[in-house]
Amino acid sequence: MSWKPIGHVSSLFLLGGLSSGRKPCSMYISRQLLASSFPRDPQSTDGVLNARICSGASCVYGSVLCCAVQEGGDELGRAMGSEPASGAGTRRRRERSPEEGLPAVHSRQWAMARRALMTVLLFSLILGGSLLLWGYVFQGCGPAHCETPVCRDLLSLYLASGNTSVAPCTDFFSFACGNTNRTTSSFQALAKENKRRLQRILEAPGSWHLDSGEEKAFQFYSSCMDTGAIEGAGAGPLRQVIEELGGWPVSGDWTPLDFNRTLSLLMSQHGHFPFFRAYLRPLPTPPYTPVIQIDQPEFDVPLKQKQEMNYAQILREYLTYLNRLGTLLGGDPNKVGEHASFSISINSQLYQFLRPPEQQQAQGKLFQMVTIDQLQEMAPAIDWLSCLQATFAPMSLSPSHPVAVHDLEYLKNMSQLVEKQLSKHRDFLQSHMILGLVGTLSPALDSKFQEARRLLSQKLGELTGRPPTPAHPRWMTCVEKTAAFFKPTLAALFVREAFGPSTRSAAMELFTAIKDALIARFQVLPWMDEETRAKVQDKVTQLQVKMGAPEWALKPDPARQEYDDIQLGPSFLQSFLSCVRSRRARIIRSFLQPFPNHRWQVLPWGVNAYYSIPDHVVVFPAGLLQPPFFHPGYPRAVNFGAAGSVMAHELLHIFYQLLFPGGCPACDTHALQGALVCLERHYAAFPLPNGTFFNGSRTFLEDAADMGGLAIALQAYSKRLLWYRGETTLPNLNLSPWQLFFRSYAQVMCRDPSTQDPQDTHSPPTLRIHGPLSNSPAFARHFHCPHGTLMNPSSRCQLW
């Protein structure tokens, strides 16, 4: 169909997105429509009206393009086929018809009748055409309401979280997020919802056709949820594990094994590392090859800050916790207290040996490559080859095998401490390892052990001012453990349930629109030179995107032999330990295979997108592309405002280096520096709620990505709205599509400002909303914000 501009018509015609199933009327109305409505000169080559897009008109509150159509006089007459005063119409009047020879009276009577007839006909055509256009434009171009279940759920969320009594131009954070006491962020809420989806999958095995590996995953979850059986077994399964390690001096017979034999069993069979951690990961620097890395251990409590006011109380609470563990295992209270005090002393000394990561970075030594043989010489108390070989079987290790050590001085001091204690307090050293193992295995033990852990977390939170680890409901603990041990199976089931082909296709379409808008954005940045523009465009073009889940999770038949080595039962603890060993062996086997171009660093149900520098890959997991951030059935305004702004934010991570001094030598550094200063002042001008912290020097990169991400997503949405039909909005919100876009952006950032971590590299949620939105002229225009209000400041910044 051919489209031509519309001329002047004496009405206002809305030029916006049509509801689904109708022709787009973003800027055009069809030749056939106008031709059927208005008569025209059969010799005219322009049978439709010429379009004019006029500013200042509004057909729907804050809606898309509208056209103020005015009375057109002669131009309207020409378009409708009436006779203008000159031109072709004049020539036609001079042409005589065969009836020109009739008498004058009859000619005048016929002319009068013809004029009357033509007047009635013309009036009828004008009236009919106006009614037709009114029905076509006003009824067809306005955004329809999305009434689907997913839209109704989204509407309920927006109504519950927002506070519409607050003026959006003075406090949009409260307008969007003010009615919810958010102790968690929107991302944390989405992560919890994804776990609930996994719960629903695991609690409905009859809904799936399961293979043997998948059956084990469902059986493990079921046994984890069988708290009656776990409570009935009590500490019995744990005592059996301790006996296999040689026993415990305070709770029964003790047959001491060789120290390194016990340590090897703890590391390889139980996943417990009392003196150091050893794991297999790619090196953090080129060529990123996988290597065994040895790092400091993980401590239950910080035991170094003796100058702290609550240090003594922290020690007492930790001692109480260890005493409780020993009592639960049937130990003599006096002996338990003595051995628990020794364990605290060991941990405190080990903690003193640590170097802070900041110090290691300042010295330029994130890790040091040594051979196992060299490590044996520097830290001889540990039989490194034996312990590492048992832990990383089936890898074949030798004394010349290289390992990456993150703190060699710590390992030297640790070795000296172990040698000293082995010569004097061998039984106490055994107790230290056993008590640490009990803490590691507490998630697989009965409620008494878990309650001891919960009380310790609560007390430490009160003493240190840090929020304690939240107590998870049992279903969430079991989902997390099942997901950790049966990741391939749950990944495939989650993708099948939550990220089907239509969702993946819609997400890729959204990403493509965002990427195109990013490239277009770079073309107009005032501080970027042409050479840099070309380079960044090439970098975006070469970028890989991983969407949803790893390739192996998208295959219809994931590895069915993954879990042959898992033996479930007779107790849940035994099942837990069998899964620990199976998972470690799986990880090692995966690293022994040819190294892929990119290893996913997030689970498919995770919510953290990221950019991998070495692989030049941006990753958006399926768990992120879920309601309320994204759904194929949502209004486009929601998807672009929420998920689209997140995508644009992550893409800007690629170009952070340009913002650092010297990062863009060919750019207009004066203009760039001015934009950075403008951004800093822009954020510093906003008031902050009491109890929140802001450090612009720490957050400026994320602030820049927030501001640029919104602008890029808005540009992508504007283009999509112009060229595609079928825009919808949510009922009962009284928000236009544009306003819904900004509302959806804010929803992503909603959380309680008082929960902000002072070390967070992101700004407080109020700034993450007010900073970018107030920098957008479109926001002020579509919400009709008076000049000078918080959300419509006198000046704005253009960084990205």
Side-chain angles (χ1 to χ4, degrees):
M1 178 180 290
S2 174
W3 301 91
K4 280 190 174 287
I6 307 170
H8 300 299
V9 182
S10 56
S11 303
L12 285 177
F13 294 124
L14 172 65
L15 299 178
L18 285 173
S19 59
S20 179
R22 303 185 183 181
K23 296 294 182 184
C25 58
S26 57
M27 292 179 64
Y28 304 99
I29 296 180
S30 71
R31 178 192 302 270
Q32 285 84 345
L33 174 64
L34 292 176
S36 64
S37 304
F38 301 116
R40 61 183 177 91
D41 182 356
Q43 298 181 7
S44 173
T45 59
D46 185 9
V48 295
L49 307 176
N50 294 322
R52 290 195 352 179
I53 301 174
C54 310
S55 61
S58 177
C59 301
V60 176
Y61 178 59
S63 184
V64 291
L65 295 175
C66 295
C67 180
V69 192
Q70 306 164 354
E71 293 184 356
D74 290 342
E75 184 177 354
L76 176 61
R78 286 195 297 273
M80 297 175 61
S82 61
E83 298 178 348
S86 62
T90 304
R91 288 193 297 270
R92 282 195 299 273
R93 281 201 305 272
R94 291 174 182 174
E95 294 175 0
R96 306 289 293 177
S97 66
E99 290 79 11
E100 283 183 335
L102 293 174
V105 175
H106 292 284
S107 298
R108 285 194 298 270
Q109 292 176 346
W110 170 247
M112 293 176 62
R114 185 174 61 181
R115 284 195 207 95
L117 180 63
M118 288 299 297
T119 300
V120 173
L121 179 61
L122 182 59
F123 177 78
S124 300
L125 289 172
I126 292 175
L127 179 61
S130 299
L131 291 174
L132 180 61
L133 282 174
W134 183 88
Y136 184 88
V137 175
F138 278 92
Q139 301 301 317
C141 291
H145 288 161
C146 179
E147 302 283 359
T148 62
V150 292
C151 285
R152 288 197 295 269
D153 291 342
L154 183 67
L155 174 64
S156 298
L157 172 66
Y158 282 13
L159 290 174
S161 62
N163 183 358
T164 56
S165 65
V166 177
C169 295
T170 58
D171 185 358
F172 199 75
F173 174 82
S174 296
F175 177 82
C177 312
N179 264 358
T180 303
N181 182 19
R182 291 182 173 270
T183 57
T184 59
S185 69
S186 295
F187 287 90
Q188 291 170 320
L190 177 56
K192 184 176 181 180
E193 180 55 36
N194 288 341
K195 290 176 182 177
R196 284 197 176 276
R197 188 186 290 265
L198 289 175
Q199 177 196 15
R200 292 191 290 269
I201 292 173
L202 289 168
E203 292 184 353
S207 304
W208 305 91
H209 178 68
L210 305 178
D211 59 33
S212 59
E214 292 168 340
E215 285 182 357
K216 285 186 177 180
F218 282 82
Q219 290 171 9
F220 177 85
Y221 175 79
S222 179
S223 64
C224 180
M225 291 295 293
D226 189 358
T227 55
I230 295 173
E231 295 296 323
L238 179 58
R239 293 195 188 97
Q240 181 181 347
V241 170
I242 294 174
E243 290 174 4
E244 294 170 355
L245 292 170
W248 190 25
V250 300
S251 66
D253 296 333
W254 180 43
T255 306
L257 301 179
D258 175 79
F259 166 78
N260 276 290
R261 170 63 177 160
T262 303
L263 180 61
S264 176
L265 288 173
L266 286 171
M267 293 169 57
S268 62
Q269 300 298 305
H270 304 99
H272 178 57
F273 297 83
F275 302 104
F276 57 88
R277 283 185 298 143
Y279 49 87
L280 191 64
R281 285 184 188 167
L283 287 173
T285 58
Y288 309 106
T289 53
V291 66
I292 295 174
Q293 300 188 39
I294 300 174
D295 209 340
Q296 66 189 42
E298 295 178 341
F299 296 93
D300 287 332
V301 293
L303 299 175
K304 185 178 180 181
Q305 293 83 359
K306 294 185 178 181
Q307 70 278 9
E308 288 187 3
M309 182 184 306
N310 295 326
Y311 178 74
Q313 184 62 30
I314 289 174
L315 291 183
R316 284 193 290 269
E317 293 298 341
Y318 191 38
L319 181 61
T320 299
Y321 165 71
L322 295 181
N323 282 330
R324 187 175 287 117
L325 296 185
T327 302
L328 291 174
L329 287 168
D332 178 83
N334 294 325
K335 286 186 177 180
V336 169
E338 185 181 7
H339 284 248
S341 297
F342 178 86
S343 180
I344 290 178
S345 175
I346 290 289
N347 272 338
S348 182
Q349 293 179 72
L350 292 175
Y351 204 93
Q352 296 285 341
F353 298 151
L354 299 180
R355 281 188 306 157
E358 298 81 9
Q359 181 181 345
Q360 298 181 45
Q361 293 177 2
Q363 296 176 355
K365 293 183 178 180
L366 293 177
F367 63 90
Q368 184 174 347
M369 296 299 300
V370 298
T371 66
I372 294 178
D373 210 12
Q374 291 171 330
L375 185 58
Q376 189 67 54
E377 293 179 5
M378 290 180 279
I382 309 297
D383 186 347
W384 293 101
L385 181 60
S386 175
C387 289
L388 294 179
Q389 183 65 79
T391 303
F392 295 101
M395 288 181 67
S396 179
L397 303 181
S398 67
S400 61
H401 194 91
V403 294
V405 177
H406 287 261
D407 191 343
L408 190 55
E409 288 302 315
Y410 166 82
L411 295 182
K412 291 178 180 179
N413 291 326
M414 177 272 298
S415 177
Q416 294 174 7
L417 177 63
V418 169
E419 284 183 323
K420 178 181 177 181
Q421 299 303 330
L422 280 174
S423 63
K424 296 181 178 180
H425 305 291
R426 193 181 191 89
D427 55 342
F428 284 96
L429 206 58
Q430 175 82 355
S431 291
H432 172 71
M433 292 190 288
I434 294 300
L435 286 170
L437 174 65
V438 175
T440 299
L441 298 182
S442 61
L445 303 177
D446 66 53
S447 59
K448 301 182 183 66
F449 290 92
Q450 295 179 45
E451 177 65 11
R453 193 78 177 181
R454 187 194 66 79
L455 288 175
L456 174 65
S457 176
Q458 176 184 333
K459 293 294 184 180
L460 292 180
E462 295 172 357
L463 293 171
T464 61
R466 297 179 179 178
T469 303
H472 292 325
R474 183 66 185 179
W475 70 263
M476 185 178 292
T477 299
C478 293
V479 164
E480 290 174 350
K481 293 304 175 185
T482 308
F485 296 141
F486 296 89
K487 181 171 68 173
T489 287
L490 263 66
L493 294 176
F494 183 84
V495 170
R496 202 184 316 170
E497 172 80 10
F499 203 71
S502 62
T503 303
R504 178 181 175 82
S505 176
M508 285 298 299
E509 181 181 351
L510 174 62
F511 175 78
T512 300
I514 296 295
K515 185 176 70 172
D516 291 345
L518 174 68
I519 295 174
R521 192 84 180 174
F522 284 145
Q523 304 305 313
V524 298
L525 291 182
W527 53 267
M528 188 175 288
D529 65 290
E530 293 303 322
E531 180 182 355
T532 304
R533 290 187 215 276
K535 289 181 179 179
V536 297
Q537 181 169 339
D538 288 344
K539 198 163 188 177
V540 175
T541 303
Q542 296 167 10
L543 177 70
Q544 299 181 64
V545 59
K546 304 290 185 180
M547 192 77 69
E551 287 76 6
W552 50 261
L554 301 176
K555 296 177 181 178
D557 295 317
R560 296 176 180 270
Q561 306 303 319
E562 288 280 356
Y563 315 117
D564 287 348
D565 55 348
I566 290 181
Q567 301 297 322
L568 298 180
S571 67
F572 177 66
L573 177 60
Q574 292 294 341
S575 298
F576 181 89
L577 291 174
S578 180
C579 289
V580 167
R581 294 188 285 269
S582 175
R583 177 179 59 177
R584 187 187 62 256
R586 234 175 11 253
I587 293 173
I588 295 169
R589 286 196 300 269
S590 70
F591 275 106
L592 293 178
Q593 296 170 357
F595 197 65
N597 293 331
H598 174 75
R599 287 184 184 273
W600 277 60
Q601 301 170 20
V602 64
L603 295 169
W605 49 85
V607 298
N608 296 320
Y610 67 91
Y611 168 65
S612 172
I613 296 176
D615 303 317
H616 194 43
V617 171
V618 63
V619 176
F620 300 101
L624 176 66
L625 301 170
Q626 300 296 318
F629 291 178
F630 179 82
H631 191 279
Y634 277 171
R636 283 194 298 265
V638 174
N639 288 336
F640 276 85
S645 61
V646 173
M647 289 178 175
H649 179 112
E650 292 303 320
L651 287 178
L652 288 175
H653 282 308
I654 304 172
F655 306 103
Y656 274 178
Q657 191 64 35
L658 297 176
L659 306 183
F660 292 119
C664 187
C667 292
D668 184 342
T669 56
H670 179 74
L672 175 58
Q673 185 62 29
L676 292 173
V677 171
C678 179
L679 181 143
E680 181 181 358
R681 292 174 177 172
H682 184 80
Y683 274 75
F686 287 98
L688 287 174
N690 293 333
T692 58
F693 307 90
F694 174 63
N695 185 338
S697 61
R698 187 180 62 247
T699 65
F700 95 93
L701 286 176
E702 294 295 341
D703 294 339
D706 283 342
M707 189 175 286
L710 174 71
I712 291 165
L714 178 62
Q715 182 171 323
Y717 177 62
S718 302
K719 181 178 179 181
R720 190 55 55 102
L721 194 64
L722 180 65
W723 292 107
Y724 290 85
R725 65 186 182 185
E727 181 61 308
T728 58
T729 188
L730 296 178
N732 303 323
L733 277 184
N734 296 322
L735 296 180
S736 72
W738 296 102
Q739 293 171 325
L740 183 60
F741 170 90
F742 295 115
R743 176 68 173 79
S744 300
Y745 168 82
Q747 191 69 37
V748 173
M749 308 299 176
C750 284
R751 71 172 297 170
D752 182 358
S754 65
T755 62
Q756 179 81 8
D757 185 347
Q759 301 303 316
D760 195 345
T761 58
H762 298 86
S763 288
T766 51
L767 290 188
R768 297 195 72 183
I769 291 176
H770 289 160
L773 292 180
S774 65
N775 196 61
S776 171
F779 175 89
R781 183 169 65 254
H782 288 290
F783 277 95
H784 310 289
C785 295
H787 186 72
T789 55
L790 184 75
M791 302 305 292
N792 189 10
S794 57
S795 62
R796 294 182 171 89
C797 312
Q798 184 178 1
L799 179 59
W800 292 117

